[in-house]
Amino acid sequence: ITPFNWLNLHKANSLVSNLKDLGYATLAAHPYTNSNYRRDSAWLTLGFDETHFQDDFPTKETYGSRPYQTDSATYRDLEGLYEAMPEGQPRFVFLVSIQSHGDYDMNPPEEDIVHAATDYGEYDSIMDEYLSNIYMTDRAFGELTEYLTEQYEKTGRKVINARRAKGRKNLTV
């Protein structure tokens, strides 16, 4: 049971409706099928101006034997969607990525890029695949925040601003 399947979201008081009332352009995206959890109709019912799914993410990049698009590819495609949003409005983007979606037994051990130092016994390979996904997501999020920082520097548009200073990451909104 998911909220999208059971709740009446028509004219629901939500973050989307509140931001739209403040003049935001809104976008929701997921690099997988549009019918999963009824996202296609639920997001429109919540009031998102536009929704984007699998076909709107042209960078087809996966990790190892996993069938899901990497977060890095997803974020790079999202940049184009973000840039196509209306110029004169603040923007709200809601993205559900899919790279780290389970199960974590899809890759053979040699495809994992992180190998846990702790012995998890029969779960070693599952832990390695999970940790590899988390590592890749962390790096991809760093790339996304760098892109948003560049957007802020070019346009003055307030976005997440992340900078690395002497090995620390400072994050401001």
Side-chain angles (χ1 to χ4, degrees):
I1 296 175
T2 65
F4 292 160
N5 292 332
W6 291 95
L7 296 177
N8 179 0
L9 300 173
H10 183 69
K11 295 188 179 188
N13 185 19
S14 68
L15 178 60
V16 180
S17 63
N18 290 326
L19 289 173
K20 286 182 66 74
D21 287 346
L22 293 171
Y24 278 72
T26 59
L27 177 151
H30 180 51
Y32 205 60
T33 61
N34 63 348
S35 60
N36 197 11
Y37 295 108
R38 287 189 36 213
R39 285 185 179 104
D40 52 351
S41 60
W43 286 351
L44 291 172
T45 302
L46 279 172
F48 280 100
D49 296 320
E50 54 186 287
T51 59
H52 297 275
F53 296 97
Q54 194 168 14
D55 292 340
D56 298 320
F57 289 82
T59 308
K60 304 301 181 201
E61 176 183 281
T62 58
Y63 152 55
S65 299
R66 297 177 60 78
Y68 307 118
Q69 175 147 304
T70 65
D71 286 350
S72 180
T74 298
Y75 296 159
R76 289 192 312 268
D77 289 341
L78 183 69
E79 292 170 10
L81 298 172
Y82 174 82
E83 290 172 11
M85 293 178 77
E87 276 292 316
Q89 291 178 266
R91 302 170 187 181
F92 171 68
V93 176
F94 176 72
L95 172 70
V96 177
S97 65
I98 195 165
Q99 172 190 295
S100 297
H101 195 283
D103 298 323
Y104 301 106
D105 59 356
M106 297 179 192
N107 281 344
E110 61 274 7
E111 289 181 350
D112 292 327
I113 56 176
V114 173
H115 298 279
T118 302
D119 181 3
Y120 292 98
E122 66 182 283
Y123 301 106
D124 275 351
S125 63
I126 290 171
M127 184 59 75
D128 290 348
E129 189 168 329
Y130 171 77
L131 291 173
S132 295
N133 275 282
I134 297 304
Y135 172 78
M136 291 175 63
T137 294
D138 180 62
R139 292 183 57 88
F141 186 73
E143 294 168 8
L144 177 63
T145 57
E146 291 300 321
Y147 162 77
L148 293 171
T149 298
E150 290 170 13
Q151 289 300 302
Y152 173 73
E153 291 169 350
K154 283 190 330 191
T155 66
R157 181 182 293 278
K158 293 180 182 177
V159 294
I160 295 173
N161 184 3
R163 295 182 188 271
R164 293 179 189 240
K166 296 182 183 173
R168 293 186 325 211
K169 191 179 248 186
N170 300 318
L171 184 65
T172 58
V173 178

